[in-house]
Amino acid sequence: MDNSAFEMHGDAPQKGLSVEKMNIISRMEKKRQWSLVSIFLLCLLACTITTAVGVLILSLVYINNSQPHSDVYFKPEAQPLQTEVPMVQTAVDPKFQFLNHLPKSKVFEFAGGAIQWARYRNNVKDYLSAEEEAFGTSLNSQRSQMTLGTLRIKSNGLRAPHWHFNANEHGYLVQGTAWIGVVDDGGEVVTTYNVTAGQVIFFPQNTLHWIKNVGNEDCFFLLFFSTHDELQTLDVDDVFFSTPEDIASRSLKPEGGIDFIRTFSKQKEDQGVNLPPNLAELVMNASYVQSPDSLVWRYFFDLKGSKEFQFPGGVIQHAQYWKNGSELNNNEKIFSEFLNQHQNALTLSTLRIYNNGLRQPHFHFNANEMGYVLSGCGKVGITSTQGAIEFNIHIGDVIFFPIGTQHYIKSTCDEDLLFILAFSTGDQLQTLDMDDYLQATADHILAQLFFKKQRKLNTMQAFLLLIAVKGSKEVTFVCTY
């Protein structure tokens, strides 16, 4: 028979011991919990104190900087103490991000001509004004792949043989007659050709080339380079005189060897655009031959003789790559395909806007745009993320429109407004005009956006569509410019 009373009293010591252990464990857990809470509170207090100190320091700095103060500079003992007044930096008009008054820039004079630049400069001290710096900085920060230079060569003057390390070169001859030379890889093929006003020349990056004025009047070129960094160029005469005499002698192997090399002397003046005073004694019976068309048209394009694309208020012509070259002649196809083979090539165009004509608001999908005003005057409007800007333009001004920036150009003079334009693409230019994107947007979307009755907007869209259907040339223009 089981004795329940015995069992109960026999378990009592064990239960007492268990209760005591549980109490000890409970006290330990409470102490550990209190230790964690203490650590947390201590960290919280430290963070609070650190934050308060930081706020106090920032407040003191702000108060100190917000109060006007003067820096005292000690001069030599003979001079009294003076307080230097800090120079106030005047704000530059935002329009100079898009506008450069090139006639006001520095003229680099040579014996045979002159060069001027609208470009980015590594050394800010090379800018003549804050406005010029704003334009150069804009070209660089927008990664425009754009630099513009004007080159004037006197009669019989020579732009020395040279090449560019970091850019392709596209040129438009505004005035005069020139003879061009291009040396291909390996020097096995030399392409020479003549250009006259209205024609385009192209030199791929690192291609040796020269330009010689063979007419009686000055040659005036507009040159566009596919770089937004400072242009890097090397002339042949500079290379020659930088080469040790023995190296030049062993490389060129002239009759007379190193003694002949030593007969050359470097001129004191830069020969970038060369015209020796005794040229008649140095050169006799010069020959200005023209290479076969298959070679010439890689580096040459007759822009003035190319197809014209009409639009209401003006006309445009292109020297560019065409995806569909069915309307190009054989020589134009050579230029189009050769252009597209080179990375970072440009598109060149002429844009003529008649008196009071308008190149309506538009933007380019795949290119930055740079332009030079050849004749006339006008008004330019730009709409960008920074707001709307409008300014006047005149002969010699350079304009710049970053990719995707909507802009318009209006002629405001009695004569035509004529531009030479360059676009930073070797592909076919892609453009969208205001009337096209408004016509393409559903009328009920426009009604909701502009708080305008739908039937009114439908009437405007129908009118825009009628214009597009009537003029096939306008449609072509919209697709290509």
Side-chain angles (χ1 to χ4, degrees):
M1 179 177 178
D2 296 331
N3 191 333
S4 58
F6 177 81
E7 292 176 357
M8 181 180 65
H9 286 90
D11 292 341
Q14 297 180 4
K15 289 183 178 180
L17 181 62
S18 299
V19 170
E20 184 177 354
K21 289 182 177 180
M22 291 176 63
N23 290 335
I24 292 173
I25 292 171
S26 176
R27 287 195 297 271
M28 292 176 65
E29 289 179 350
K30 289 181 179 179
K31 287 181 178 179
R32 184 163 60 247
Q33 291 175 0
W34 172 248
S35 298
L36 293 174
V37 171
S38 300
I39 292 172
F40 172 77
L41 292 175
L42 184 61
C43 292
L44 181 62
L45 179 61
C47 291
T48 302
I49 294 173
T50 302
T51 302
V53 172
V55 170
L56 179 61
I57 293 173
L58 291 175
S59 300
L60 292 174
V61 171
Y62 174 79
I63 293 172
N64 182 62
N65 290 340
S66 62
Q67 294 177 349
H69 60 278
S70 300
D71 294 325
V72 179
Y73 296 88
F74 290 94
K75 304 297 181 182
E77 293 181 3
Q79 300 292 333
L81 295 179
Q82 295 181 358
T83 301
E84 184 175 283
V85 179
M87 182 179 296
V88 179
Q89 182 69 36
T90 58
V92 178
D93 192 321
K95 73 180 181 182
F96 289 107
Q97 299 173 69
F98 313 102
L99 173 66
N100 178 289
H101 293 310
L102 189 59
K104 295 182 179 180
S105 66
K106 181 178 179 179
V107 179
F108 294 84
E109 296 280 0
F110 302 90
I115 298 176
Q116 285 183 283
W117 295 103
R119 65 177 181 179
Y120 167 76
R121 296 184 180 277
N122 291 326
N123 188 349
V124 295
K125 294 181 179 179
D126 291 336
Y127 293 112
L128 293 186
S129 64
E131 292 78 12
E132 190 176 72
E133 180 183 353
F135 185 80
T137 302
S138 177
L139 294 182
N140 188 259
S141 63
Q142 295 287 346
R143 305 192 66 80
S144 65
Q145 296 181 9
M146 292 283 192
T147 286
L148 182 144
T150 61
L151 170 64
R152 186 175 296 277
I153 307 177
K154 300 176 183 178
S155 179
N156 292 315
L158 168 70
R159 175 63 183 101
H162 64 283
W163 67 92
H164 308 289
F165 289 87
N166 60 338
N168 300 299
E169 178 180 355
H170 298 251
Y172 178 89
L173 181 55
V174 179
Q175 170 188 299
T177 306
W179 187 62
I180 309 296
V182 184
V183 181
D184 287 354
D185 179 30
E188 297 178 357
V189 178
V190 179
T191 302
T192 54
Y193 55 97
N194 296 282
V195 295
T196 58
Q199 297 176 329
V200 166
I201 54 178
F202 169 57
F203 308 123
Q205 180 176 333
N206 291 323
T207 299
L208 180 71
H209 58 280
W210 68 77
I211 305 173
K212 171 72 182 288
N213 184 344
V214 294
N216 295 323
E217 62 178 342
D218 287 358
C219 280
F220 182 64
F221 281 92
L222 293 176
L223 304 176
F224 296 89
F225 301 87
S226 61
T227 181
H228 46 263
D229 294 320
E230 191 154 20
L231 187 63
Q232 299 177 13
T233 302
L234 198 57
D235 290 358
V236 164
D237 60 323
D238 293 327
V239 175
F240 180 84
F241 289 111
S242 298
T243 304
E245 294 174 342
D246 60 323
I247 300 300
S249 177
R250 293 179 61 180
S251 301
L252 303 175
K253 301 178 179 63
E255 184 178 350
I258 195 170
D259 291 333
F260 178 76
I261 297 297
R262 288 171 176 168
T263 63
F264 289 82
S265 58
K266 186 175 177 62
Q267 302 298 313
K268 293 182 180 180
E269 295 183 354
D270 192 330
Q271 298 299 304
V273 189
N274 161 282
L275 186 58
N278 61 336
L279 181 62
E281 300 175 12
L282 301 174
V283 178
M284 292 178 288
N285 301 321
S287 176
Y288 304 113
V289 297
Q290 176 111 352
S291 298
D293 285 350
S294 59
L295 296 178
V296 170
W297 281 80
R298 294 182 300 166
Y299 308 109
F300 166 83
F301 189 83
D302 184 17
L303 186 56
K304 68 179 180 181
S306 65
K307 181 178 179 180
E308 294 185 350
F309 296 92
Q310 301 286 339
F311 66 95
V315 61
I316 191 168
Q317 293 173 284
H318 294 293
Q320 70 166 3
Y321 165 72
W322 298 89
K323 292 180 179 179
N324 180 5
S326 59
E327 296 187 12
L328 302 178
N329 61 42
N330 291 333
N331 289 334
E332 290 175 337
K333 288 180 181 178
I334 293 173
F335 180 83
S336 173
E337 294 170 1
F338 188 70
L339 192 68
N340 191 243
Q341 292 172 12
H342 293 84
Q343 187 177 7
N344 296 330
L346 304 177
T347 288
L348 254 60
S349 302
T350 56
L351 171 64
R352 183 180 296 276
I353 304 176
Y354 306 139
N355 176 33
N356 204 35
L358 171 69
R359 176 65 185 100
Q360 68 161 294
H362 63 284
F363 62 92
H364 309 291
F365 288 83
N366 62 335
N368 299 294
E369 177 180 356
M370 178 179 279
Y372 179 94
V373 182
L374 272 182
S375 65
C377 60
K379 187 180 292 291
V380 170
I382 298 172
T383 306
S384 68
T385 56
Q386 300 174 356
I389 298 175
E390 193 174 62
F391 53 84
N392 296 318
I393 51 173
H394 303 86
I395 294 174
D397 283 342
V398 178
I399 54 174
F400 169 62
F401 307 125
I403 185 171
T405 300
Q406 180 164 283
H407 54 280
Y408 63 83
I409 307 172
K410 185 179 184 299
S411 175
T412 57
C413 287
D414 293 336
E415 63 178 322
D416 293 349
L417 177 58
L418 179 60
F419 280 96
I420 304 301
L421 303 174
F423 302 89
S424 62
T425 179
D427 294 323
Q428 186 166 320
L429 189 62
Q430 298 175 359
T431 301
L432 188 60
D433 287 358
M434 175 181 277
D435 63 345
D436 289 313
Y437 65 70
L438 286 179
Q439 192 276 325
T441 304
D443 55 8
H444 62 87
I445 297 296
L446 295 176
Q448 180 174 339
L449 177 63
F450 292 111
F451 293 81
K452 195 79 173 175
K453 291 183 178 179
Q454 184 176 348
R455 58 184 179 83
K456 294 289 186 181
L457 292 170
N458 190 28
T459 301
M460 181 182 73
Q461 288 183 320
F463 176 71
L464 295 175
L465 181 60
L466 178 63
I467 294 176
V469 171
K470 279 186 175 181
S472 59
K473 289 185 178 180
E474 283 86 343
V475 176
T476 304
F477 174 83
V478 166
C479 294
T480 58
Y481 172 58

